[in-house]
Amino acid sequence: MRTFVLPRRRAFAVTAAGLTAMAFATASAAEESAAYVVDVSDVTVKVGEPAVMLATLRVRDGYRILSAYNNRVIRLSSYDDGIVFEQDMVPAKVEDRALVFPVGLRATKPGTHPINGLLRVGYIHGTDEMAMVSMRLIANVTATE
C-alpha cells in the first residue's frame, strides 16, 4: 500500500474544494428560501394552440421586490423540443407584492414535455441587503390532440 502526502498548500486547496462542494450540495437540496416562494403551474394544451404558463414569485414578510431590476425568465427550453416559446426572455409583471411571469408557449407534438428555464430576480431585505438571484423554473406541459 502506498501513502501519498500532499504538500500543505495543496491539502488546503483539496479541503476547501470539498467543503465548497458540500455547501453547494446542501444549498441545492434545501431549495426553499427565506426571502421568497416560487409557484409554477403545469399546463395542458392542444397541439398547435397557444397557452400561457404562469410562474409566480412571492416575497416573504420583511422582503420586497427590487422593481428597478430586470426581473425575468431566460433560457427556456423543452427536453424533447415538443414546446415552442413565444419569447426568449419573459419580463416579470409586478402584482400585489409578487412577480408574475406569463410564459407564452405552443406545443408542437402530443405528450408530456418537461420544460425548464432560469428565473433571474432581485429583492431587498431591510435597508442594507439587496440580492439578485437565479433559480430553476421546472414544469411540464401536456399536449393533447
Side-chain angles (χ1 to χ4, degrees), residues 106-124:
R106 187 175 41 82
T108 59
K109 57 186 173 183
T112 299
H113 309 286
I115 62 168
N116 63 13
L118 188 65
L119 288 162
R120 289 285 301 155
V121 299
Y123 63 85
I124 301 169

Side-chain angles (χ1 to χ4, degrees), residues 7-84:
R8 189 176 210 134
R9 272 191 310 210
R10 188 165 205 178
F12 175 75
V14 170
T15 302
L19 291 174
T20 302
M22 284 187 345
F24 180 75
T26 303
S28 295
E31 289 284 325
E32 190 151 327
S33 169
Y36 53 82
V37 176
V38 177
D39 181 39
V40 181
S41 62
D42 287 346
V43 176
T44 300
V45 63
K46 287 190 174 189
V47 173
E49 291 185 5
V52 175
M53 177 190 70
L54 290 179
T56 305
L57 180 137
R58 288 179 177 53
V59 291
R60 297 184 192 268
D61 288 340
Y63 294 84
R64 57 185 201 258
I65 294 167
L66 181 57
S67 56
Y69 183 68
N70 182 17
N71 297 295
R72 65 203 181 275
V73 174
I74 56 175
R75 298 187 183 167
L76 289 161
S77 65
S78 170
Y79 174 73
D80 60 359
D81 295 325
I83 303 298
V84 175

